[in-house]
Amino acid sequence: MRTEQQMYDIILKTAESDPRILAVYMNGSRVNPNVPKDIFQDYDIVYVVADTKPFYEDETWIDHFGERLYMQMPEKMDALRGREFHFDEIYGWLMQFADGNRIDLHVVSPEYAQKDILSDKLCRILLDKEGILPAIPDATDEDYHVKKPSHEDFWCDCNNFWWCMNNVAKGLWRREIPYVMDMLNMIIRPHLVNLLSWEIGIRTNFACSVGKSGKYMYRYLERCDWEAFLKTYPDSDTEHIWQSVFVMCDLFEKTALQVADQLGYIYQREEAAASRYFLEHVKKLPEDAEEIFVSE
């Protein structure tokens, strides 16, 4: 596997030797000082060029970066699907190489670059042959720091978490596992991640990032809370899903109470208790039940 220095060498030498490339900048995890380095970090590289067309019309130039296993061209895919695209502004190749390295490479117009580099604080200029890029401060992930929620944000997340558990209950009773998994992971889980993030934000004065999907929360959560969070990811066994649901409910309730107390917000305990009661009732409901609650 080529070293980091070897990758930077080929990235910069390619730019230096090609008069069509005016400048180079990098964004993403490699310019974030708070992201630990590892072997899977890709190189998010942007070449600023006077004209993008020669680069995407003859793509043989990317062979210079090494032997590829496979790649993706997102802008080309947009065009093939009939979506809006602007090849004159940006075109890219996401390349996984045979040695394990990966480069997400784009060519962009100077006009695009000047806007892009000012809108993303996780950028570092690697080369500027003609001084076309604006001066930028040191890279920081502050735009990705946890934001303090409003009372309305808190209320809505809590309400949606407990309301959507209704769908989980009926989905489990019907044994509609794909539906349940989507409901848990796509709809409900983001609310739990928000609550945990806010609790972390309170303790860090909202000066940290928990990463996409909360992947860095383990750095800040109590070990028992992190382990509980991991237990909210079940396999496809119905009983295991029920167990994870109740772990999720317990963790959410605990965290919501902490956040409400710290921020002086109101947590709807009665609403949460009613949702929990419905879940527990449906879990015990026979498979051949003709009523959810028996009429008296």
Side-chain angles (χ1 to χ4, degrees), residues 7 43 46 70 80 104 130 154-155 165 190 194 197 202 212 217 253 264 273 283 292 294:
M7 294 302 293
Y43 297 81
V46 182
Y70 52 97
L80 291 172
D104 288 358
E130 301 179 11
F154 176 76
W155 186 90
M165 281 298 180
N194 282 347
S197 299
I202 291 167
K212 187 175 182 179
M217 292 194 301
E253 174 106 342
K283 184 179 186 303
I292 298 175
V294 178

Side-chain angles (χ1 to χ4, degrees), residues 13-155:
K13 286 179 181 178
T14 298
E16 289 166 350
S17 63
D18 192 332
R20 301 174 301 173
I21 299 174
L22 309 177
V24 187
Y25 62 93
M26 180 168 65
N27 49 32
S29 68
R30 283 189 178 270
V31 299
N32 187 345
N34 294 318
V35 172
K37 289 187 176 183
D38 65 32
I39 58 175
F40 283 99
Q41 278 185 297
D42 52 351
Y43 297 81
D44 294 295
I45 301 297
V46 182
Y47 284 164
V48 186
V49 299
D51 184 3
T52 61
K53 189 174 182 179
F55 290 89
Y56 65 75
E57 282 195 336
D58 181 3
E59 297 179 324
T60 57
W61 71 281
I62 64 173
D63 296 340
H64 177 67
F65 293 101
E67 181 186 355
R68 295 188 302 275
L69 284 178
Y70 52 97
M71 71 176 177
Q72 183 180 90
M73 293 170 282
E75 287 74 28
K76 183 176 182 179
M77 291 172 67
D78 285 343
L80 291 172
R81 291 175 170 175
R83 297 174 180 169
E84 185 177 1
F85 63 94
H86 301 280
F87 288 178
D88 59 326
E89 294 183 357
I90 180 171
Y91 193 93
W93 303 263
L94 315 184
M95 299 176 282
Q96 175 64 58
F97 296 103
D99 71 346
N101 280 296
R102 170 176 160 174
I103 296 179
D104 288 358
L105 175 67
H106 285 82
V107 292
V108 303
S109 68
E111 295 77 17
Y112 182 96
Q114 288 163 4
K115 294 178 182 177
D116 183 48
I117 205 168
L118 290 175
S119 66
D120 186 356
K121 292 182 180 179
L122 279 177
C123 273
R124 182 188 303 155
I125 297 173
L126 302 182
L127 176 69
D128 191 352
K129 295 178 181 177
E130 301 179 11
I132 63 172
L133 296 177
I136 58 174
D138 292 339
T140 173
D141 65 353
E142 63 183 37
D143 285 347
Y144 301 92
H145 287 180
V146 177
K147 303 297 189 295
K148 180 181 178 181
S150 67
H151 198 170
E152 291 76 16
D153 290 332
F154 176 76
W155 186 90

Side-chain angles (χ1 to χ4, degrees), residues 153-172:
D153 290 332
F154 176 76
W155 186 90
C156 289
D157 269 57
C158 291
N159 176 265
N160 207 39
F161 177 91
W162 290 113
W163 172 253
C164 289
M165 281 298 180
N166 181 291
N167 297 326
V168 172
K170 70 181 181 183
L172 283 169

Side-chain angles (χ1 to χ4, degrees), residues 6 16 80 93 97 121 134 149 181 189 192 204 246 271:
Q6 287 174 316
E16 289 166 350
L80 291 172
W93 303 263
F97 296 103
K121 292 182 180 179
M181 289 297 199
R189 184 174 303 284
L192 176 60
T204 60
F246 289 122
E271 180 177 74

Side-chain angles (χ1 to χ4, degrees), residues 188-208:
I188 296 175
R189 184 174 303 284
H191 299 307
L192 176 60
V193 171
N194 282 347
L195 260 290
L196 292 168
S197 299
W198 294 336
E199 197 272 329
I200 290 169
I202 291 167
R203 289 193 283 106
T204 60
N205 197 29
F206 294 96
C208 74

